[in-house]
Each structure stands twice: as structure tokens, then as C-alpha cells.
């Protein structure tokens, strides 16, 4: 969430979300008729297109004591300081466990939520919002335990689950939710958002702002390294070694980025470079990269080094 000093209402409202007209139609309707709002909303669609930003702004509006995301009431101020007791945001980058039974359940586990938060009335607002920024992180046992509450939630509690692919969560969770679809951002929306944020964006993100939540400067460094070494067969060896060294750096992957994410970004940059240079000449290289990307998601443990070796053997031949 954005930590603020004195953030104006318009800086943290749904009006700042661009390129998601369908999703915003749903959300504005719920705000107009909050008494009819479903208790479980499932935001789904590609990464980096505004799902989480929409969920936060929507939540502040729902919790606002003046019912308009005023930015000045006690609820809005607590929300922007990340101190709102009625807004529970689960971790984005770690697995969500079922937790120990009742009194021993550690924070941000499902049993902690069910036994220590949901049974009690909200402290400040009329509602309580539970946000799962990545519902695919909920482990199977935790997901099963949560189902009953999703089916019959308390009157004051509302759930917002976010996921990029509906197949990553149980069908029983999906069936208990009202689905809010998000789409890839149109070019005009991307351009305007990058202007507002003073960022350049990258064409290989497609219709997303930043699907991997990695800094623009870091991506630019990777882009420069790849551009320098991707065409010469001898320099490709240097590029492969850099990729392997990065994969082996455990400190680098402590935060949100995973090895798979890193390799996905590298492959996207490579595809972009080969397309720009000469698509026909580099067609086999691009095909090898698409095969590589598919291999990253087949679920075989520790397969990445093998895939990297196979990829660079094919890139070097062309």
C-alpha cells in the first residue's frame, strides 16, 4: 500500500485507475449500492494492470466513515498510514498456511484470521476488508479451511481475492465469488500512466505496466547486458554465464522476484531484441525462446539450469 503523509482524495481514488472500464463499472456500482455488494470479490487478470491498486482504493472507499474515500476521516488517515485495524492485507510473496489450532495460530494464517479477527466487530469502520493480493499463495489445506467462511461470511466482513489465473485456485473458491475481470491495458492508458509516473515502460511487457514488480532501472541494466551479448555466438557464452551467476545468487531472490520470473524477463528481452534486429533471420532463436518459456512452467523441480543450457545451445547455432 502507499504510505502517505497528507494524500489528497483524488490521489488515491478509483478515478486514478485507467484502462479498466469493465472492472470499474462493477466497483462503482457496488459503491453506489453498498448494501447489495457481494461478500467475496475475485479480481482476476494479467499482472501489472491495476488489480491491486484498484483493490486498495476500493477498500479505502468502503471503509471511509464519510462513505466517499474523503481522505480526511479517521478511517482514511489510518488506512494511508497502514494502521487500519479493519483492513487486513495478507502477504503477497509468501505462502499462506492454515496455522496452528485456535490460540496458537500465528498471524496471517487462516486459523488466525478465523479465530482472532473475523468473529469480532470492526473497530473503526462499519465493515472489515480482507485482502489476499495473491490468492494463489493460499495453500490447499488453508484454502479448504477458508471455504466455509467464504460461503457464509459475517455481515461486516468482505473478502477481496486477487489472482492472475483462475485455474490457480480451487473451483469451489471461484464459485463462491463474484468475478471482476481485468484486462491488458490499452496503449493510450499505458502511455498516460507512464507519463503520470515519469516512467518509460517496456514494450515487451505488452499491455502491462510491470508484471514482475521489478525496478525499471534494474530491467534497463539487464536490457543493456542482453543487447551487448545476444547476437555474437562467442558473447552468448558470456551472457549464459551471467544468467547462471544471477540464478545462483540466493540473496537476489529473497524478495518478490523468483528465478522463474528472472528467466521470464530475460527471455522477453531476448525475444524483443531478436525481433527488432531481424525477425526472419532470428526466427529459430525466437522459437527456441518460446519453447524455453513453456518449459519454465511444466513444474519439474530444479529444471531451470537444464533449460538454460538447452536454450543457449540453440541460440548459438543460429
Amino acid at each position: 500500500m502507499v504510505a502517505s503523509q497528507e494524500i489528497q482524495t483524488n490521489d488515491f481514488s478509483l478515478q486514478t485507475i485507467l484502462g479498466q472500464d469493465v472492472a470499474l463499472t462493477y466497483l462503482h456500482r457496488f459503491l453506489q449500492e453498498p448494501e447489495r455488494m457481494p461478500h467475496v470479490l475475485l479480481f482476476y487478470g494479467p499482472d501489472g494492470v491495476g488489480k491491486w491498486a484498484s483493490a486498495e482504493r476500493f477498500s479505502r472507499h468502503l471503509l471511509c466513515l464519510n462513505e466517499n474515500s474523503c481522505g480526511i476521516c479517521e478511517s482514511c488517515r489510518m488506512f494511508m498510514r497502514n494502521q487500519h485495524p479493519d483492513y487486513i492485507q495478507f502477504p503477497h510473496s509468501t505462502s499462506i498456511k492454515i496455522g496452528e489450532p485456535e490460540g496458537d495460530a500465528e498471524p496471517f494464517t487462516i486459523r488466525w484470521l478465523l479465530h482472532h479477527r473475523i468473529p469480532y466487530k470492526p473497530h473503526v469502520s462499519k465493515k472489515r476488508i480482507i485482502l489476499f493480493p495473491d490468492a494463489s499463495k493460499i495453500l490447499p489445506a488453508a484454502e479448504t479451511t477458508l471455504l466455509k467462511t467464504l460461503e457464509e461470511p459475517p455481515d461486516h466482513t468482505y473478502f477481496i481475492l486477487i489472482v492472475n489465473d483462475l485455474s490457480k485456485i480451487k473451483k469451489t473458491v471461484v464459485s463462491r465469488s463474484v468475478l471482476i475481470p481485468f484486462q491488458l491495458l490499452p496503449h493510450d492508458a499505458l502511455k498516460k500512466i507512464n507519463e503520470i509516473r515519469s516512467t518509460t515502460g517496456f514494450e515487451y511487457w505488452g499491455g502491462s505496466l510491470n508484471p514482475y514488480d521489478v525496478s525499471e532501472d534494474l530491467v534497463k541494466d539487464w536490457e543493456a547486458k542482453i543487447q551487448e551479448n545476444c547476437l555474437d555466438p562467442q558473447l552468448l557464452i558470456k551472457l549464459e554465464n551471467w544468467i547462471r551467476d544471477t540464478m545462483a545468487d540466493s540473496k537476489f531472490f529473497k524478495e518478490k522476484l523468483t528465478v522463474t520470473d528472472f528467466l521470464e524477463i530475460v527471455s522477453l528481452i531476448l525475444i524483443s531484441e531478436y525481433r527488432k534486429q531481424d525477425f526472419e533471420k532470428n526466427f529459430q532463436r525466437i522459437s527456441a525462446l518460446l519453447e524455453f518459456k513453456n518449459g519454465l512452467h511444466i513444474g519439474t523441480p530444479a529444471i531451470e539450469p537444464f533449460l538454460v543450457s538447452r536454450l543457449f545451445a540453440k541460440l548459438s547455432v543460429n
Side-chain angles (χ1 to χ4, degrees), residues 46-261:
D47 288 329
V49 298
K51 298 191 300 297
W52 194 347
S54 298
E56 290 183 318
R57 286 154 176 76
F58 183 64
S59 295
R60 190 181 88 164
H61 197 131
L62 288 173
L63 295 171
C64 176
L65 300 181
N66 293 316
E67 300 182 351
N68 62 1
S69 194
C70 67
I72 59 176
C73 71
E74 180 185 6
S75 173
C76 286
R77 288 177 178 272
M78 294 180 76
F79 189 95
M80 300 312 290
R81 293 197 300 267
N82 297 330
Q83 296 175 346
H84 204 301
D86 304 323
Y87 177 71
I88 301 172
Q89 180 176 288
F90 273 72
H92 171 267
S93 56
T94 57
S95 297
I96 298 169
K97 303 176 182 177
I98 185 173
E100 298 298 323
E102 302 199 15
D104 297 326
E106 58 272 29
F108 296 105
T109 59
I110 296 303
R111 281 178 173 157
W112 166 81
L113 176 69
L114 299 184
H115 296 298
H116 298 285
R117 291 305 175 101
I118 285 182
Y120 305 103
K121 291 183 178 180
H123 296 278
V124 175
S125 302
K126 296 179 181 179
K127 299 178 176 64
R128 174 178 291 115
I129 308 295
I130 314 296
L131 174 64
F132 291 94
D134 186 353
S136 69
K137 296 289 186 181
I138 307 175
L139 297 177
E143 209 171 12
T144 300
T145 302
L146 184 61
L147 279 176
K148 179 65 174 177
T149 302
L150 293 181
E151 187 173 355
E152 299 178 0
D155 289 340
H156 53 63
T157 297
Y158 295 81
F159 292 86
I160 301 176
L161 294 83
I162 300 176
V163 71
N164 59 10
D165 184 346
L166 291 176
S167 68
K168 292 182 178 180
I169 57 177
K170 288 181 182 293
K171 291 182 179 179
T172 44
V173 172
V174 175
S175 68
R176 287 163 172 76
S177 310
V178 170
L179 306 185
I180 310 297
F182 284 75
Q183 62 186 10
L184 290 171
L185 294 166
H187 176 74
D188 289 348
L190 279 171
K191 183 178 179 180
K192 187 171 183 179
I193 294 169
N194 281 317
E195 288 175 354
I196 293 170
R197 296 168 52 171
S198 298
T199 54
T200 56
F202 300 102
E203 64 175 21
Y204 38 78
W205 287 162
S208 172
L209 286 171
N210 191 338
Y212 300 102
D213 198 20
V214 61
S215 78
E216 188 170 284
D217 288 341
L218 186 57
V219 175
K220 286 180 178 178
D221 288 343
W222 295 348
E223 189 177 62
K225 187 177 293 292
I226 290 169
Q227 288 172 343
E228 180 183 352
N229 297 290
C230 70
L231 296 175
D232 189 312
Q234 292 184 335
L235 293 179
L236 277 169
I237 297 173
K238 180 180 177 181
L239 183 60
E240 181 180 359
N241 288 336
W242 167 71
I243 291 173
R244 291 186 179 280
D245 289 343
T246 305
M247 290 169 58
D249 185 359
S250 59
K251 294 180 181 178
F252 184 78
F253 296 103
K254 276 188 174 181
E255 301 301 326
K256 295 180 180 178
L257 197 69
T258 66
V259 171
T260 299
D261 291 339

